[in-house]
Amino acid sequence: MTVLAGTLITPKLSYSGRIVFSEQVEALEPLDAAQDCPERYILPGFIDLHVHGGDGADCMEGEQAVRQMARFHAQHGTTALLATTVTAPLEELEAALRGIAAVVQNPGPGEARVLGVHLEGPFISPERLGAQPPYTRTPNLTTMRHLLSLAPIRVVTLAPERPGALELIRFLTEQGVRVQQGHTAATYAQSLAGFEAGAQGFTHFYNAMTPLRHREPGVVGLGLERARWAEVIPDGLHVHPAAIRALARAIPQTYAVTDAVAAAGRPEGEYRLGRHRVYKKSQGVFLADGTLAGSALTMDRAAYNLRCWGYTVPEVMQMTSSFAAQYLGIPHGLEIGRPADLVVLDEQLQLVEVYVRGQKVEVSG
């Protein structure tokens, strides 16, 4: 058993207390006024539903690369994640999915729990590739069934305007897969059709989708009008903080993702993103033409940024963990019987300790 004391943060209340845990949370005990409470916050571990790599590793490279990035992100407070692919030739996607599946089935020490796959493409728009390699495919049920047989795919990003997309959305929704609109040139009407077919999420909201205009609201307008869920990258480069605040007001369960690539945690230089070469410069990652290519963000930095932009600690907790858990339908949080996936933060929201299934993980310096 491990016992930690501090300010416990839950969606409904925050209080001075102790948490007792092994692999799961065993007890939650409030402290009385006479007991000293350490000046730190104890939160559920961060969940990142969109991460391509980190520490030089790209999850398209196979099992060992997935393990390396999972260890890296655990050291930054991410206790669970979806390994995220990029658009690629089918044989490369197959190899990537097999590598991710191996990590899901046999998690290693010090690794964030890999919950499955976020398949970002290949059923996206060639007009809105962003930094995705140019290997898009027309939505196809046979191909999708084959990919589902290789790994637990939990989220699929696609463009709803593509031929066959609505049929694919309905199929995936029936299979319990979350479908997100992203890398899309859809009109408002096409986006609405995707939403009504079952595509409930939006991938890196605002980025690589049709913007809001007053006579053609686009995908952004449809999301702001109707959505309950959306992911956003709070690195200060992809989206202005004011636009994130506006998004969170319109879509109440907006959650943070990193969209981190292999360059995260590494010095400036050249790295891989699928078949692309990308370049880390200062705090960003770019293609040679200057297009943003994922990010170098980590979830502890995302939490810190959100706090600096005016969010309360409970709001930060929801945006970095509980909303993502609710979206996927997984047990998470400071409740008895839940997995002991925890982070400890100081008063400035700097990361102090990380626990994955009750096991302490070394925090990155």
Side-chain angles (χ1 to χ4, degrees):
M1 292 289 179
T2 302
V3 181
L4 296 176
T7 301
L8 306 182
I9 307 295
T10 76
K12 296 181 179 178
L13 120 131
S14 303
Y15 60 97
S16 298
R18 277 191 298 262
I19 181 169
V20 182
F21 59 93
S22 53
E23 288 191 5
Q24 65 182 25
V25 178
E26 303 291 347
L28 298 164
E29 304 167 348
L31 298 175
D32 60 39
Q35 295 173 294
D36 290 333
C37 180
E39 295 180 347
R40 60 186 187 180
Y41 299 105
I42 301 172
L43 288 73
F46 304 136
I47 298 177
D48 190 352
L49 301 188
H50 189 152
V51 53
H52 296 278
D55 191 30
D58 182 327
C59 77
M60 295 296 292
E61 297 173 316
E63 178 182 349
Q64 294 311 310
V66 176
R67 293 191 185 282
Q68 183 173 335
M69 79 162 197
R71 287 192 295 269
F72 168 75
H73 285 289
Q75 292 168 5
H76 289 272
T78 296
T79 57
L81 60 82
L82 291 182
T84 305
T85 60
V86 294
T87 299
L90 186 58
E91 62 273 15
E92 294 181 16
L93 279 176
E94 291 170 338
L97 293 182
R98 290 188 180 101
I100 296 167
V103 180
V104 174
Q105 293 162 7
N106 296 290
E111 298 171 358
R113 292 193 293 128
V114 178
L115 302 172
V117 178
H118 178 163
L119 191 75
E120 192 178 14
F123 310 119
I124 60 174
S125 169
E127 300 173 42
R128 293 278 177 166
L129 284 172
Q132 289 274 339
Y135 296 97
T136 63
R137 300 174 70 91
T138 301
N140 180 283
L141 286 179
T142 300
T143 300
M144 191 68 244
R145 286 193 181 98
H146 173 58
L147 296 177
L148 285 168
S149 74
L150 301 177
I153 297 173
R154 307 293 297 274
V155 171
V156 173
T157 292
L158 53 69
E161 74 275 16
R162 301 211 63 189
L166 299 184
E167 182 183 11
L168 184 58
I169 292 168
R170 286 188 282 267
F171 166 74
L172 288 167
T173 301
E174 290 170 358
Q175 302 301 309
V177 178
R178 287 288 194 177
V179 182
Q180 299 183 178
Q181 300 189 43
H183 289 279
T184 169
T187 64
Y188 173 86
Q190 291 168 326
S191 182
L192 175 59
F195 185 83
E196 291 178 337
Q200 298 299 303
F202 293 82
T203 296
H204 41 54
F205 200 86
Y206 296 116
N207 301 118
M209 60 180 59
T210 45
L212 170 66
R213 296 189 176 96
H214 64 291
R215 291 192 179 92
E216 175 43 66
V219 177
V220 169
L222 183 281
L224 294 175
E225 178 196 20
R226 294 177 184 251
R228 179 183 175 192
W229 311 96
E231 59 171 60
V232 70
I233 307 169
D235 63 350
L237 296 173
H238 280 79
V239 182
H240 192 282
I244 293 178
R245 286 191 287 269
L247 172 63
R249 289 184 67 180
I251 302 180
Q253 287 167 290
T254 294
Y255 57 91
V257 297
T258 64
D259 200 4
V261 299
R266 288 293 184 95
E268 292 188 352
E270 181 179 312
Y271 298 91
R272 179 183 172 188
L273 177 60
R275 286 202 169 189
H276 276 327
R277 305 309 297 180
V278 299
Y279 303 88
K280 184 178 182 182
K281 299 177 182 178
S282 186
Q283 299 303 307
V285 187
F286 307 88
L287 296 180
D289 66 3
T291 301
L292 280 166
S295 85
L297 187 65
T298 53
M299 285 298 282
D300 57 339
R301 183 67 193 187
Y304 178 80
N305 287 346
L306 291 167
R307 185 73 178 104
C308 290
W309 297 339
Y311 291 89
T312 66
V313 177
E315 288 170 339
V316 169
M317 182 274 297
Q318 290 180 309
M319 292 182 73
T320 57
S321 67
S322 62
F323 287 160
Q326 292 165 22
Y327 179 63
L328 275 197
I330 59 173
H332 191 68
L334 304 190
E335 294 184 26
I336 294 172
R338 297 282 175 90
D341 292 345
L342 313 169
V343 293
V344 181
L345 308 176
D346 67 17
E347 288 190 300
Q348 286 71 47
L349 252 62
Q350 299 290 337
L351 190 63
V352 178
E353 296 178 27
V354 181
Y355 296 85
V356 177
R357 291 283 189 179
Q359 296 298 309
K360 192 171 184 179
V361 175
E362 179 183 355
V363 172
S364 174

